[in-house]
Amino acid sequence: MPSDTRMIARFVLALLLTLAALPLSAKEEARTPWVVATYAYPQRDRAAAIQPLADYLARRGRHPVQVKVFPSPSALVQAMRDGQADVAVPNLHGYLQARRDVAQVTTLPVPQVPALQADRYRAVLVARQIVSPAELKAKAGQLHLVLVGRDSASGGFVPVQYLRDAGLDPATAFASVTYAGSHAAALQAVVEGRADVAALAGDVHDAARPDNINVLWRSDPIPPGPLLCRAATGVPCQAIVAWLLEAHAEAPDVMAALRAGWPEFGDATRFVPADMVRVSDVALRLD
């Protein structure tokens, strides 16, 4: 073999060996990361709460990932709609929004909340000086209502629907409506007399049980929102379903971190398939 031919062959071999020796991370940089995303909440580090989930999906899929936190459940849904989020941890409101508004969205499993804890995840309406739903209806025009947020579940759309069913549209029936931003802040507004009526998560009220605050109504248990996957080229939603169902054995830190970010997940240790009958029942009552 002529010397120049041997030189070319050695060069090609060296190039192939170099490419084969590239670290996995260098090869992955050329691929678009999967975006694992959620929404912000006061005094909860939601980026830390979903990082183990992102790391687990990266390991199982051998694919780069990126974590993002959007300002609200609605902003999270908009990000999925715009192709800026692939796997999402929403609240129930965000889940129902996405199921209605995002094309090609896949329902992923949901944390399995122990039965006693799941029973405690309810909305409540609490008030100062008002002692019954009948009195609330009679005096609503003089009362200041505080909600947690427009796209909160227990502090937003669930109690809002109850009020509408009772003939009280919050937008017009009350003297004013404000948004506290958190369940604790909504309760504190009533305790301090800055609001007359508040809607919030029942467990937040029950943990504090402030004096002279009356519970006017308590909802049925509210199911947590299942995780979501934006079905798109390169995003293996069905494989992610299987990986989540195995996460309790493969990566227990995934659920531990989610519990720290979402108290409503209680002592959940594993994912289970979403109860679509129950979630659909909530959707039908709220659409």
Side-chain angles (χ1 to χ4, degrees), residues 21-43:
L22 280 173
L24 181 62
S25 60
K27 297 175 185 177
E28 288 181 339
E29 286 177 359
R31 292 188 285 169
T32 302
W34 297 332
V35 176
V36 179
T38 191
Y39 61 99
Y41 188 80
Q43 300 177 337

Side-chain angles (χ1 to χ4, degrees), residues 67-225:
V67 164
K68 287 187 179 181
V69 178
F70 293 92
S72 68
S74 293
L76 174 63
V77 173
Q78 184 63 47
M80 295 196 81
R81 189 183 297 116
D82 294 342
Q84 298 177 27
D86 301 306
V87 175
V89 183
N91 69 346
L92 180 60
H93 186 277
Y95 172 79
L96 295 174
Q97 267 190 287
R99 196 177 76 161
R100 183 187 63 219
D101 298 339
V102 179
Q104 304 298 316
V105 70
T106 296
T107 295
L108 297 177
V110 65
Q112 184 182 41
V113 184
L116 288 177
Q117 293 174 331
D119 186 70
R120 291 197 294 267
Y121 183 42
R122 302 170 183 251
V124 293
L125 275 176
V126 300
R128 295 168 56 90
Q129 301 179 339
I130 303 299
V131 299
S132 69
E135 187 180 8
L136 174 68
K137 188 170 184 177
K139 297 181 177 179
Q142 309 164 40
L143 304 177
H144 299 280
L145 170 67
V146 61
L147 303 170
V148 173
R150 289 180 174 84
D151 48 10
S152 172
S154 56
F157 76 99
V158 172
V160 164
Q161 188 60 45
Y162 164 77
L163 290 170
R164 286 175 177 160
D165 289 345
L168 296 172
D169 186 341
T172 58
F174 290 87
S176 70
V177 180
T178 57
Y179 297 93
S182 74
H183 298 275
L187 180 60
Q188 196 62 26
V190 175
V191 170
E192 295 176 356
R194 292 180 283 109
D196 302 298
V197 185
L200 65 144
D203 57 350
V204 174
H205 166 269
D206 295 347
R209 293 195 180 279
D211 294 335
N212 303 317
I213 300 299
N214 304 310
V215 176
L216 306 181
W217 166 80
R218 190 178 293 264
S219 75
D220 292 336
I222 302 170

